[in-house]
Amino acid sequence: MRNALAAEWLKLRTVRAPYGILATTGLMVVAGAALSVLIVQDYDTSPAAEQARFASADSSVVITPVVQFLAAALGALVATSDPRLTALTAVPDRTRLLLAKTVLVAAVTAVLGTVTLAVSTGTSWVVVGDRPPPIAPWESLGDALPWASAAVLSILVTGLAGLGLGLAVRSTVVAVVVVGVLLWGIPAITPMLPQPWDTDTSAVMVPYLVWQVSGVAEDAPLGPVAATAVLLAYAVVTIGAGAVTLLRRDA
Amino acid sequence: MIEVRNLTKRYGGTTAVDDLSFTVHSGRVTGFLGPNGAGKSTTMRMVLGLDRPSAGEALVGGRRYRELTHPLRHVGALLDPSAVHLGRRALDHLRWIAASNGIDRRRAVELVEQVGLGGARDKRIRALSLGMRQRLGVAAALLGDPQVLMFDEPVNGLDPEGVRWIRDLLRGLADEGRTVFVSSHLMSEMALTADHVVIVARGRLVKETSIGALTEKGSLEDAYLDLTTGRGL
């Protein structure tokens, strides 16, 4: 297992695409910080009545969906970037190969998510300074932890979903498109469904699950435990689909 | 030694490999001959655990390939030189394969020099010619210093110098006592390289014999065409 994991890590480090994903993530963090600054500047020059209607200047809320997508692309890359013939000749134990890829994607996306959320929430905290709510998203930095933790978990889950879908469909492009539809396409449609389907279906969409996992959403259809289980189910189902393809089909 | 026992592979209603049995012994180059679609590549893929047999089994050194913990230390294979990530550097390609089987990374550096790619080791694979990619594939096959080597059409696309290099390499590996199993369409090349041949057609074994016995009455090409067109010798 250690050798298979070392090989997967080396494979990831020796192609360009992951560095593009890292650079894009960094760019998103910087863009998010710039957005926080612009919101705060606008806030400072607005009348008190308008200030009371401002949204929070927490940039992590804006960039998390993009980082989820980037994590999914990373997972799909780990699944599909090397021809199976070479990968399976080197590591013919497919269960071990699957485990190595899963551990790698989980570790890398967990670090990616943690660093991204730490920097973006920290930056937002500094930019907002001692301004009051609603532009201040938290009373103390510790209040950011539930949302940030849920966001990191969602980034890890979408990374694993990218891996599972990549293994299942054996195509980076198709896997990334499917994740895009799951993250942005379907959640844009579900609120338009008639009641109670709008609430029921939206509650199990990744963007809404993050809020429910964090426990900060008022009147959420799902509690944090149920929402966490549904979020994790995305990873379990997609990795399961990838496992079926990898373990049962010819290379 | 490679043992193929009653190996069968069916894709729906099509039988690609049909109850095939033969043994590839050590210390000689065994040519694997047959027309296009005869089942040579499918057989090699089943030996390497890439495809599951519909029936029968293939063993390397008495064990199934998938059961080997460090397979590249037992078997080296070059089935498709294009099965690489084109954006990776040549040396990095060898390094990850070495890492996957716990092989010292210095072995990758040694081999990239040994196959004549020392000057191209830091080039991305997409910048390598077909011949250079073949050499990289050979280096990957040799990484684990295996006793068994399998090559599928190793001289495809090579220039005369590359063809001779492969021929000398295969002969040298067999002379060291290794099992060398090579598929090819090129009868003239097999006549120069192989000691023994396994001939298949339509997925079935047609002949398993030494080159000497096969060429007693004429050229290898004549004998091969007689066998694979069903007329027999």
Side-chain angles (χ1 to χ4, degrees), chain B residues 170-181:
Chain B
L170 299 181
R171 293 267 11 126
L173 291 167
D175 291 345
E176 290 171 5
R178 298 177 208 253
T179 304
V180 182
F181 189 43

Side-chain angles (χ1 to χ4, degrees), chain B residues 131-148:
Chain B
M132 292 165 99
R133 289 182 199 180
Q134 288 278 43
R135 286 172 184 259
L136 185 64
V138 169
L142 297 174
L143 267 176
D145 196 19
Q147 276 303 304
V148 176

Side-chain angles (χ1 to χ4, degrees), chain B residues 33-215:
Chain B
L33 311 180
N36 285 335
K40 303 188 298 295
S41 295
T42 305
T43 301
M44 286 184 147
R45 289 173 64 88
M46 286 192 282
V47 172
L48 293 173
L50 295 165
D51 294 352
R52 287 178 195 277
S54 305
E57 63 179 357
L59 306 176
V60 183
R63 296 172 66 189
R64 288 194 181 92
Y65 188 85
R66 282 195 193 196
E67 294 168 358
L68 300 170
T69 309
H70 296 116
L72 302 187
R73 297 184 186 194
H74 304 274
V75 185
L78 170 58
L79 296 197
D80 180 2
S82 67
V84 290
H85 191 298
L86 297 177
R88 188 172 284 124
R89 296 176 201 280
L91 181 59
D92 288 335
H93 174 71
L94 297 179
R95 283 176 59 215
W96 85 253
I97 294 174
S100 70
N101 277 251
I103 298 164
D104 193 319
R105 58 195 299 175
R106 283 172 296 190
R107 177 81 177 146
V109 177
E110 280 172 29
L111 272 164
V112 81
E113 297 287 343
Q114 192 180 319
V115 300
L117 289 178
R121 56 183 253 180
D122 293 325
K123 282 188 177 175
R124 298 198 188 271
I125 296 173
R126 70 164 54 87
L128 303 183
S129 66
L130 178 58
M132 292 165 99
R133 289 182 199 180
Q134 288 278 43
R135 286 172 184 259
L136 185 64
V138 169
L142 297 174
L143 267 176
D145 196 19
Q147 276 303 304
V148 176
L149 288 134
M150 296 171 56
F151 299 94
D152 193 6
E153 307 284 359
V155 298
N156 266 5
L158 291 185
D159 58 17
E161 185 200 347
V163 171
R164 173 168 287 188
W165 177 76
I166 287 277
R167 186 192 307 148
D168 292 344
L169 176 80
L170 299 181
R171 293 267 11 126
L173 291 167
D175 291 345
E176 290 171 5
R178 298 177 208 253
T179 304
V180 182
F181 189 43
V182 189
S183 82
S184 181
H185 287 102
L186 303 175
M187 293 306 118
S188 56
E189 191 50 43
M190 277 295 99
L192 289 171
T193 311
D195 306 294
H196 202 83
V197 288
V198 173
I199 302 176
V200 291
R202 293 177 296 281
R204 308 195 77 162
L205 182 68
V206 173
K207 192 88 173 176
E208 182 182 2
T209 186
S210 69
I211 284 278
L214 200 61
T215 55

